[in-house]
Amino acid sequence: MLRLPWTLFLVLPLFGLIASALHFSPDSRYSNGTDCFYPLTLVVSLDGFHPAYISRHHTPRLHALLSGNHSVSAVSTPYMIPSFPSQTFPNHWTLVTGLYPTEHGVVGNTFWDPLLQSQFSTGVSQSTLDSRYWGGDSLWYTVQSAYAKNVKNQQTPAPFKVATHMWPGSEAIYDPLQDPSGFRTPYYYVNYDGNETLDTKIESIFEYIDMPFDDRPRLIMNYIPHADTFGHQHGIPSDRSSRIYHEFTSLLFQIDTFFTDLFTGLEQRNLTGLTNVVVMSDHGMSNVDLSEDSGKYVFWEDLLDYEHRKLIENISGFPMYGIRVRKSDEDFAMLYEIYFLLQESIQKHSPHFKVYLIEDLPREWRFGPDRRFSYRVAPLWIVSEPGYYITTKEEYAQRTNTTKLIGVHGYNNTDVDMRALFLGTGPYFEQFAGKDPSSNTSYLQPFENVQVYQILCDMVGVLKPGANNGTFPYPLSELTDEQFNEIKLPDGWSDNSRYLKTKFPDSTYNLLWNHLADDTGMSITTAKQESDRKTITLAPVTHSS
């Protein structure tokens, strides 16, 4: 069902559209002066992009949007909170379903499904194509099926087409019996290609936009892995004189240029007032020092003797270890035996690792028992603090052949390093800018990424989203001032983090919200140790029907 039914064929000059957000309807036709368009929604995911990467010098376009130094309306937040575990596939599926990983089924980048008796792994394309792993209603299913019903009921004149470009989960193959309508697959989709350039990605977006009216997708979702790939290989460098630092800042500028080219292309087509652009990320990144005397890692072989390691059937997860023991009549006794042995070993080796049974995992992670897909969560876990790492001796030797510093994510989702980005601009966001006249960018309180699905559903005109864990009032486009005040960032909000000030001294984040005096004499490691690890009190799980 659609939020705003189609009633009129509107051909408005672009100025008339921009002049009043009240005229904007996600299911009305508009003219850019030469062609007919439905409003467009462009979603760009920057994998592994921490919000503090944005700065005036290295990402001027994103800086202007985040800081309010621009002429268009935008909405952002100091940071978005990823879901646990803070990994790519679980969080990208959360972004498009509004469900926590244990509710949608993709509980990690790797995991064992005891019912399917098979391993899900991002490195094994066949498993990521198996639709049985992907639960919940995706955004493209929600919107394509909603508009199809309205076409059938003559409430809207045309179906809604979605295009995804390498979005995790969008390439899953459904049996016709599972998906007789075909709407669980985007109308257009492109499989993952890690070698694709940013130039090719921007070209693909405009190839869709330049399609004939009846063929053109209205929602285009693009996945950009470049920051994540760099972070894994090199970590996030801080030595400004190093070659790696210059390569990193050059990459940030290239990503920012992607958005400059995007907005320039929209302006050239006279589509700025018809297009919503949402920029977000799935998680941040922590550095792990693999130097021999760093104390940042432990060897798996040193935690458990060979005879007990032989009893383990499966290990999933990274950088955590999710452990399943071999099935036998005594598997519970065996599980507890290994649990106690690991606890004893961890206490000897490092205080930065903890061993949990599934029922003892922190409740705020929503990763324990009594959830729809809890059976995919291993019964025993070794969890490391951000910046620490479990590895095998073989893996360690391979990694340290090329580098001593790597980037890792998958840690506690509320840790400062794991924070994600959310930034939106376009006619949909004008309503929020009007509620905060002091800036062209309005700011929401830090929120969980389960809220994004409902935001996007509202943006494209869906009245009834699928069941999800979002807690924002719906639809957001009809928030009262009182409701908006409950979710907006309070005036004077600050996050006085010595760690962020030291690690990202020039970031827009620090400019806006971190008011500590510069202290260049403090090392990043010391700053991290002294930093308050702010743990957000999360809202209870709710389901909209």
Side-chain angles (χ1 to χ4, degrees), residues 406-455:
I406 61 172
V408 180
H409 54 85
Y411 298 110
N412 182 351
N413 59 315
T414 60
D415 184 81
V416 63
D417 276 343
M418 295 300 101
R419 292 175 178 178
L421 172 69
F422 180 90
L423 177 60
T425 184
Y428 174 81
F429 296 100
E430 288 184 17
Q431 60 194 315
F432 302 106
K435 296 178 185 295
D436 184 6
S438 63
S439 171
N440 283 331
T441 298
S442 297
Y443 303 104
L444 305 180
Q445 297 176 36
F447 59 85
E448 295 182 80
N449 65 354
V450 292
Q451 312 290 0
V452 170
Y453 168 74
Q454 291 197 136
I455 294 173

Side-chain angles (χ1 to χ4, degrees), residues 118-186:
S118 63
Q119 179 87 2
F120 178 93
S121 174
T122 57
V124 181
S125 60
Q126 205 59 37
S127 67
T128 61
L129 297 179
D130 190 338
S131 60
R132 294 175 297 176
Y133 289 113
W134 306 90
D137 290 340
S138 66
L139 177 63
W140 46 87
Y141 171 76
T142 301
V143 63
Q144 289 180 157
S145 59
Y147 272 79
K149 291 176 184 176
N150 277 46
V151 170
K152 184 177 180 180
N153 297 331
Q154 298 184 333
Q155 293 178 292
T156 190
F160 192 110
K161 295 180 173 68
V162 177
T164 59
H165 197 85
M166 305 187 192
W167 195 279
S170 65
E171 71 274 32
I173 299 171
Y174 290 85
D175 186 281
L177 294 177
Q178 295 175 288
D179 182 27
S181 67
F183 296 137
R184 292 198 177 276
T185 301

Side-chain angles (χ1 to χ4, degrees), residues 75-81 422 442-448 451 472 483-490 493 536-537:
V75 168
S76 189
T77 179
Y79 55 89
M80 186 166 64
I81 306 163
F422 180 90
S442 297
Y443 303 104
L444 305 180
Q445 297 176 36
F447 59 85
E448 295 182 80
Q451 312 290 0
F472 281 174
Q483 288 174 319
F484 179 75
N485 288 336
E486 290 178 356
I487 64 173
K488 78 170 187 177
L489 193 69
W493 187 92
I536 310 300
T537 301

Side-chain angles (χ1 to χ4, degrees), residues 243-303:
R243 174 183 58 84
I244 296 298
Y245 179 82
H246 290 289
E247 289 181 5
F248 177 61
T249 54
S250 175
L251 173 62
L252 295 181
F253 189 77
Q254 292 171 36
I255 292 171
D256 194 70
T257 301
F258 170 93
F259 290 103
T260 297
D261 293 344
L262 177 63
F263 287 112
T264 299
L266 293 173
E267 291 165 6
Q268 291 172 342
R269 292 164 175 79
N270 209 20
L271 290 173
T272 303
L274 293 172
T275 307
N276 296 302
V277 178
V278 179
V279 186
M280 55 190 178
S281 64
D282 50 353
H283 53 71
M285 190 76 69
S286 282
N287 284 344
V288 177
D289 183 355
L290 295 180
S291 301
E292 191 170 333
D293 58 350
S294 70
K296 296 290 187 177
Y297 60 89
V298 295
F299 288 127
W300 167 236
E301 294 91 340
D302 293 340
L303 296 179

